[in-house]
Each structure stands twice: as structure tokens, then as C-alpha cells.
Amino acid sequence: MTPKELADKIIEILDNKKANNIKLLHVEKQTIIADYFIICTGNSNTQIRALSGEVEKEMKLIGIEPKNIEGFNEASWILLDFSSVIVHIFNRETRNFYNLEKLWHDSTEIDILTNKTKEIEPSEQV
């Protein structure tokens, strides 16, 4: 599975579990830690844990396990590291505070509905 196919599968899982404001950033040119970042928001700590758990469960079913999971107990920001794809699941306040879209503004955002790249506009940042 290519990194993009992995990202698309994870986005599908998150979307099916009603994650909010899902963004896909292609960060391969900006960092060596991953090819893609997926950023999304949950409405509550319970939903954030459920999103994380569903991604972990569904990926294990196809033989892919995260190298690491951080933040599950606090559930204000859960990070799942799939090597080439890093998933960030935030609550609204934490996402606004860290504003990864702005931090990684020089990356390319991929429109998850059309799979086309677009530049991140300041007005679109969380």
C-alpha cells in the first residue's frame, strides 16, 4: 500500500466515524518524518478515543499497525504514527491552539473530496 493509499483509507475510516474538518497535508518535502499528515477534530474526548480506536482496529484488519500512539488517556490530541502517515485527532480547542495547518503552511493540502492539491489559504486555517 502506498502512503497515499494508506492516507485515503484512514480518511475513509475517519469520515465514516463522523470526524470533523478532515485535512490531508502532503508534507514529504518539508520533513523526513512522514509523507502525509491527516488532521481532524472530534466533538468530545469519547469521540476522539472512538476515532482513534476505529482507525487502529480497521488498519489492523488489513495488517497495518501504528508504530506508536500518543495522547490516548488525555484525548485532547491523539497521534497515531503509521510511519509514512501521521494521524492527528484533536478536540477543537487543542486544534485551534496548535494550528498545525498554519505550522505546516508550506505543505500542500490535498482536497479529500477531489484528491487534487491546493494551496492552503490563510482563511481556511483553523
Side-chain angles (χ1 to χ4, degrees):
M1 184 174 280
T2 68
K4 179 65 170 68
E5 291 169 338
L6 176 63
D8 289 343
K9 178 65 177 167
I10 293 169
I11 288 169
E12 178 185 327
I13 295 164
L14 291 168
D15 188 49
N16 287 341
K17 284 300 247 186
K18 309 295 186 215
N20 296 312
N21 198 13
I22 303 170
K23 301 284 183 176
L24 176 61
L25 304 181
H26 188 205
V27 296
E28 182 179 23
K29 293 179 182 175
Q30 288 73 33
T31 182
I32 61 169
I33 63 172
D35 294 332
Y36 294 95
F37 284 172
I38 298 171
I39 304 167
C40 68
T41 306
N43 293 321
S44 66
N45 290 358
T46 302
Q47 185 190 21
I48 292 166
R49 286 187 189 102
L51 290 166
S52 172
E54 188 70 9
V55 169
E56 184 180 10
K57 180 187 94 177
E58 290 295 320
M59 296 310 292
K60 280 182 180 178
L61 290 175
I62 59 172
I64 301 171
E65 295 194 36
K67 285 182 10 183
N68 199 15
I69 299 174
E70 298 288 335
F72 190 83
N73 291 334
E74 298 82 16
S76 63
W77 176 2
I78 297 177
L79 182 143
L80 296 101
D81 182 353
F82 289 95
S83 296
S84 60
V85 177
I86 297 178
V87 182
H88 303 269
I89 307 171
F90 288 100
N91 67 23
R92 183 170 288 116
E93 295 80 25
T94 305
R95 184 170 181 177
N96 287 336
F97 180 80
Y98 286 101
N99 199 353
L100 293 186
E101 291 93 327
K102 183 176 180 183
L103 182 64
W104 293 94
H105 72 279
D106 54 347
S107 66
T108 304
E109 181 177 344
I110 299 174
D111 185 321
I112 62 172
L113 298 177
T114 65
N115 255 336
K116 295 181 181 176
T117 62
K118 65 179 184 174
E119 297 303 314
I120 298 176
E121 299 294 327
S123 62
E124 294 178 2
Q125 296 172 359
V126 178

